[in-house]
Amino acid sequence: MADTVFDRIKGNVESNDVFLYMKGTPMFPQCGFSARVVQILSHVGVPFQSANVLEDMELREGIKQFSNWPTIPQLYVKGEFVGGCDIITEMFQSGELETMLSEKGVATKAQA
Amino acid sequence: MAMAASEIEALIKAALPDARVTVEDLAGDGDHYAATVVSEQFRGISRVKQHQIVYAALRGRMGGELHALALQTAAP
């Protein structure tokens, strides 16, 4: 049933400050866009959890309905959908990503 | 299945008549595009919502027929 996958998603994004739905894993990303977001998060030095949607078709479709966003990767900070690869890249380049993280009380390498 | 740049532009303009739209084919395969969309309707709303408006204009092709669309949106 759809709500169990939504419950799982809610559980993931609400119990982890930074959560990334991606194709592959941070060690072995299987999509250029997912890999770029992993690089940005590592560069900023923010710890994050992730889920490999390629291993879970129900999650892969459920997450798109949950956020009303048609593509993967999807980044969540403090339970809130922040964006996909384009938006995260734009925010990183403008410094907005680090500002948003510190405003939400998420420690990054710079502050650690 | 791929899409033509003109089709993407037409769909976006149908939903955002005032928009200035540029569409660039990144890989020549009709599957990977970059687009910039400038519209008054984006004023004061978050980037996520701006992109969601464009995705809605593409009527479900995003992520299916259209694998990748590097999107830049802004208000004029």
Side-chain angles (χ1 to χ4, degrees):
Chain A
M1 290 184 327
D3 60 339
T4 49
V5 75
F6 276 28
D7 291 339
R8 273 197 293 148
I9 293 168
K10 259 169 139 3
N12 286 336
V13 300
E14 282 166 8
S15 52
N16 293 284
D17 279 353
V18 182
F19 198 91
L20 178 64
Y21 290 92
M22 64 178 292
K23 289 178 181 174
T25 62
M27 286 299 289
F28 301 104
Q30 290 172 272
C31 150
F33 301 113
S34 293
R36 182 185 298 172
V37 174
V38 168
Q39 271 168 1
I40 287 173
L41 294 175
S42 317
H43 186 82
V44 166
V46 62
F48 65 98
Q49 291 300 318
S50 66
N52 179 1
V53 301
L54 296 180
E55 284 172 1
D56 184 336
M57 276 310 151
E58 191 189 24
L59 181 62
R60 182 175 185 176
E61 290 317 313
I63 189 65
K64 293 175 186 174
Q65 285 153 29
F66 181 83
S67 57
N68 181 28
W69 191 262
T71 55
I72 303 291
Q74 294 186 20
L75 184 67
Y76 290 74
V77 174
K78 296 270 186 177
E80 205 186 311
F81 176 57
V82 178
C85 184
D86 291 341
I87 289 177
I88 299 305
T89 304
E90 228 177 287
M91 289 176 74
F92 172 63
Q93 285 163 349
S94 66
E96 208 181 319
L97 181 62
E98 281 162 294
T99 311
M100 182 265 291
L101 286 168
S102 62
E103 274 167 9
K104 290 187 181 248
V106 178
T108 59
K109 186 170 58 185
Q111 295 140 336
Chain B
M1 280 290 293
M3 280 184 79
S6 52
E7 193 182 352
I8 295 171
E9 193 171 332
L11 283 168
I12 295 172
K13 284 199 164 154
L16 298 164
D18 74 312
R20 280 202 323 272
V21 182
T22 64
V23 182
E24 190 199 337
D25 188 338
L26 294 177
D29 56 7
D31 226 10
H32 297 72
Y33 284 98
T36 57
V37 184
V38 178
S39 164
E40 190 55 43
Q41 295 183 47
F42 291 154
R43 191 168 302 284
I45 59 173
S46 74
R47 257 197 216 95
V48 168
K49 294 223 171 12
Q50 293 176 19
H51 288 212
Q52 283 172 327
I53 288 172
V54 176
Y55 289 147
L58 295 173
R59 297 200 206 117
R61 289 176 179 78
M62 191 59 232
E65 253 172 271
L66 189 51
H67 179 67
L69 178 64
L71 205 45
Q72 293 243 297
T73 54

